[in-house]
Amino acid sequence: MVYSMTQLEARFNSRVTHQYDWVFFNDEEFSEEFMIAVMNATNSQCYFEVIPEEHWSVPSWIDTTRFDVGRQFMGSIGVGKAWLQSYHHMCRWNAGLFALEKRLAYYEFFWRVEPGVDFSCNINYDVFRFMRDNNMAYGFNMAILDDARSFPSLWDRTKSFIKNNKDVIHEDADYDWLLQDPLQGDNAARPSQTLKEQNHYDGFEQLEYNNCQFYSNFEVGSLSFFRSKEHRAYFEHLDKTGGFYYERFGDAPIHTLSVSLFLPKSRIWYFRDIGYAHGLCEQCPPHQFRLTIDSEVLQHTYARALATNTSFSEKHRRWEALSQDFIRQGGIPGLACGCTVSAIDHNNAKLVPFESKQQKPEHPCIRLYLGGKWLEKRADWDQEAEIAAGRDGSGGYLLDGLESNPFINNSYGEKK
């Protein structure tokens, strides 16, 4: 945990204008050694909270025999950590109960920080003030495909909730990026628009969840939203079905479905500019010196050489072409990072590899979320040829995902 803290303090929280509190949760008392170590890693106030037993135990309505058999089976087929009882508790707690903890009643927003993560870029603004000043309720920085074997009944349970609570779906919600018609694929009409035009939500019955999720190991969120009647009713409905124990309902797909159904898209923010890595998943945004060649950066000898060299050798000509590509991509002004720039969709299959038999959406999850021009492909692209060359057949996009501004005008002339 100290490793994660040290980075976030250096990149963000150590500024005198920030110094936000750290609140640690555990299912047992913290050791003296742990508390001293984390307090030494920050000048901010630290709080150490023990999760109440009722928030970290098997609920009374769960058949423990069925739970034990199910988790052993899921573990045997490779569903990540499904055999661990504590992991089921953790998923349930993060999905909804965390926001009800007494200590968090004093706060407006939370930023989830996991042990062993990397924050690879300086964060040159106040993330919490940004959320508040722009009326944001949820922020993420990766959207990826999840393993559907973890939650086979989640969408059916969600549809039953929607059927009985049609009024809770926000009129400006944009959930079409999460849904597909199994008979038509991703090229079907936008589901949310179709359903709204019909003025009812019965059409959900014919649609399936495509298993895209916001990667919730990084998330910044409004505590008032996760305490709202909409989210609490949805969480409690799922909880009573037993899905956190008979299956392995994860907090990531539940948060994703919740914010996409109960919030307008204008209150969800993509933090493309925050470099982050956790395990297999990482994202590194374009950053100024690495990608931008402008009048200021051209004062640097190396950058000037890149921009002007056009003739000395084939190697130098390749560098010149590369510099022009840097200009095309553009960097985020003032952003300093210690990572190699990654495309927005390169994490899409980290949890569900190409070889998996799971049905996958036509486009990577983050492209579905952004929509518009992010879904357009080159006219000369050949998927079969790409697969024959040993790749996964998901390339060919006009926008390669290295652009610094993900909010490019879509094909309808409006910003996503």
Side-chain angles (χ1 to χ4, degrees):
M1 193 68 225
V2 172
Y3 178 81
S4 301
M5 288 183 67
T6 301
Q7 292 189 67
L8 192 54
E9 285 288 321
R11 297 293 190 179
F12 170 73
N13 200 46
S14 61
R15 293 176 175 83
V16 293
T17 53
H18 300 351
Q19 298 190 357
Y20 289 104
D21 296 347
W22 287 87
V23 183
F24 300 91
F25 288 97
N26 198 10
D27 61 321
E28 58 186 26
E29 294 289 345
F30 289 91
S31 69
E32 193 73 20
E33 180 183 15
F34 177 86
M35 291 190 290
I36 291 173
V38 298
M39 287 190 292
N40 286 339
T42 179
N43 291 322
S44 299
Q45 180 69 50
C46 294
Y47 295 97
F48 303 93
E49 303 295 320
V50 176
I51 299 170
E53 184 178 356
E54 62 270 23
H55 287 179
W56 199 274
S57 58
V58 179
S60 60
W61 59 86
I62 296 299
D63 180 335
T64 55
T65 300
R66 180 181 170 187
F67 169 41
D68 288 338
V69 171
R71 66 192 177 101
Q72 294 302 327
F73 170 74
M74 286 188 289
S76 71
I77 63 173
V79 176
K81 302 180 181 178
W83 63 92
L84 296 173
Q85 179 170 298
S86 60
Y87 198 79
H88 292 261
H89 294 330
M90 184 273 291
C91 289
R92 179 175 179 247
W93 186 79
N94 276 319
L97 297 174
F98 80 98
L100 308 181
E101 301 296 348
K102 292 180 180 178
R103 173 61 61 183
L104 296 186
Y106 300 98
Y107 301 99
E108 184 179 3
F109 294 99
F110 71 94
W111 185 337
R112 178 171 168 178
V113 181
E114 294 283 326
V117 301
D118 289 286
F119 290 93
S120 50
C121 301
N122 291 344
I123 302 167
N124 299 321
Y125 60 98
D126 189 323
V127 171
F128 294 115
R129 286 183 178 272
F130 172 84
M131 296 287 287
R132 185 189 65 190
D133 293 348
N134 291 280
N135 195 31
M136 295 294 169
Y138 190 78
F140 71 98
N141 78 346
M142 280 185 257
I144 63 175
L145 202 57
D146 203 358
D147 187 344
R149 299 175 302 171
S150 303
F151 44 80
S153 73
L154 175 59
W155 180 238
D156 285 338
R157 305 299 190 186
T158 300
K159 287 192 289 188
S160 68
F161 176 79
I162 294 169
K163 183 176 181 179
N164 296 318
N165 300 273
K166 297 175 184 177
D167 59 320
V168 302
I169 298 179
H170 197 283
E171 62 180 358
D172 293 323
D174 186 3
Y175 42 80
D176 60 289
W177 72 284
L178 295 172
L179 304 179
Q180 61 187 10
D181 187 329
L183 300 178
Q184 300 182 55
D186 288 341
N187 293 322
R190 290 166 57 90
S192 58
Q193 296 301 319
T194 302
L195 296 176
K196 288 170 186 175
E197 288 166 5
Q198 294 172 349
N199 199 31
H200 61 76
Y201 294 90
D202 294 339
F204 271 112
E205 287 299 323
Q206 72 188 42
L207 301 173
E208 295 296 335
Y209 175 38
N210 63 13
N211 305 307
C212 286
Q213 62 166 6
F214 296 133
Y215 188 61
S216 63
N217 293 67
F218 174 102
E219 58 182 357
V220 182
S222 162
L223 285 161
S224 63
F225 170 75
F226 286 103
R227 298 186 195 110
S228 67
K229 65 178 183 179
E230 295 86 357
H231 181 76
R232 288 191 63 180
Y234 178 49
F235 167 77
E236 290 169 6
H237 168 80
L238 296 175
D239 198 20
K240 291 297 183 181
T241 69
F244 290 106
Y245 294 94
Y246 302 144
E247 301 173 26
R248 206 213 69 187
F249 283 8
D251 54 277
I254 290 171
H255 283 194
T256 302
L257 287 164
S258 181
V259 299
S260 297
L261 289 168
F262 310 140
L263 288 172
K265 194 168 187 176
S266 61
R267 299 194 66 198
I268 302 172
W269 186 255
Y270 175 26
F271 282 106
R272 169 60 167 156
D273 59 331
I274 295 181
Y276 177 82
H278 185 209
L280 292 173
C281 299
E282 60 180 342
Q283 88 122 5
C284 183
H287 32 282
Q288 190 176 36
F289 177 69
R290 186 183 299 273
L291 291 183
T292 302
I293 297 181
D294 54 22
S295 57
E296 179 180 351
V297 178
L298 281 176
Q299 301 306 310
H300 192 287
T301 304
Y302 177 68
R304 186 165 61 249
L306 276 180
T308 59
N309 185 358
T310 60
S311 60
F312 295 113
S313 68
E314 178 60 29
K315 180 178 179 180
H316 285 173
R317 283 194 291 273
R318 287 199 299 270
W319 273 110
E320 195 278 336
L322 185 60
S323 75
Q324 295 302 312
D325 195 46
F326 288 171
I327 294 172
R328 174 189 64 77
Q329 292 169 14
I332 298 172
L335 187 63
C337 298
C339 55
T340 301
V341 180
S342 58
I344 61 171
D345 52 5
H346 89 118
N347 291 296
N348 190 65
K350 292 291 180 67
L351 302 184
V352 184
F354 174 67
E355 292 77 12
S356 167
K357 299 300 182 183
Q358 176 176 319
Q359 183 177 4
K360 305 173 185 68
E362 180 183 354
H363 302 284
C365 296
I366 188 61
R367 290 183 181 273
L368 288 171
Y369 175 80
L370 294 171
K373 290 185 177 180
W374 288 98
L375 304 178
E376 295 179 6
K377 297 204 174 189
R378 302 190 308 270
D380 62 350
W381 179 70
D382 187 329
Q383 183 180 42
E384 292 184 0
E386 182 175 302
I387 293 173
R391 296 186 289 273
D392 65 6
S394 63
Y397 290 98
L398 289 173
L399 299 177
D400 61 14
L402 293 172
E403 292 78 6
S404 62
N405 179 14
F407 303 100
I408 293 173
N409 286 349
N410 66 22
S411 56
Y412 299 101
E414 58 187 6
K415 288 193 175 182
K416 294 296 287 182

